[in-house]
Amino acid sequence: MIVKKSETRIVTGPEGFERIFFAGGKKLMSTQVNMKNGVVGPSHSHPHEQVNYILSGSLEVTIAGEKTVLNAGDSYYVEPNIEHGAIALLDTVMFETFTPEREDLL
């Protein structure tokens, strides 16, 4: 699969939140998440493994009730079915990967 920038699917959430979908398949999904300062990614869980890498900005991430501030160059992993959420402390860009694909986001 090839996805050119001009063909990229972008989904917006609350004001100041957008997700850009990259090439992927049923077993792997990657996106770029852009969050403006102050945007809240509400606490949730899902049956997928997740890895996020902070490209720029800063987030307060809560995983299983534990809060941590992450900055550009930091990453985090979320096990399946673990409650997690985030608040952008600065304008933030993240690369996120899920396995398997999150059909609920498509």
Side-chain angles (χ1 to χ4, degrees):
M1 170 190 289
I2 305 263
V3 177
K4 296 199 173 207
K5 186 175 181 179
S6 62
E7 301 165 345
T8 303
R9 189 167 146 255
I10 300 173
V11 174
T12 58
E15 186 174 338
F17 178 95
E18 73 176 3
R19 179 175 277 123
I20 302 167
F21 290 82
F22 299 136
K26 294 293 180 191
K27 293 184 180 180
L28 182 68
M29 176 181 183
S30 295
T31 73
Q32 177 179 314
V33 173
N34 302 321
M35 296 173 71
K36 294 286 186 190
N37 183 15
V39 169
V40 175
S43 189
H44 65 285
S45 65
H46 44 73
H48 312 83
E49 289 184 272
Q50 176 178 346
V51 173
N52 283 40
Y53 176 76
I54 315 303
L55 294 163
S56 64
S58 181
L59 287 178
E60 179 184 86
V61 176
T62 303
I63 302 172
E66 184 176 328
K67 292 183 181 191
T68 306
V69 173
L70 299 174
N71 299 296
D74 296 338
S75 62
Y76 64 95
Y77 168 77
V78 181
E79 294 180 48
N81 304 309
I82 298 296
E83 195 79 19
H84 60 286
I87 300 170
L89 303 176
L90 299 170
D91 289 354
T92 300
V93 178
M94 291 185 290
F95 180 79
E96 69 180 357
T97 302
F98 298 98
T99 186
E101 173 184 72
R102 284 206 44 196
E103 293 178 1
D104 60 310
L105 296 178
L106 299 174

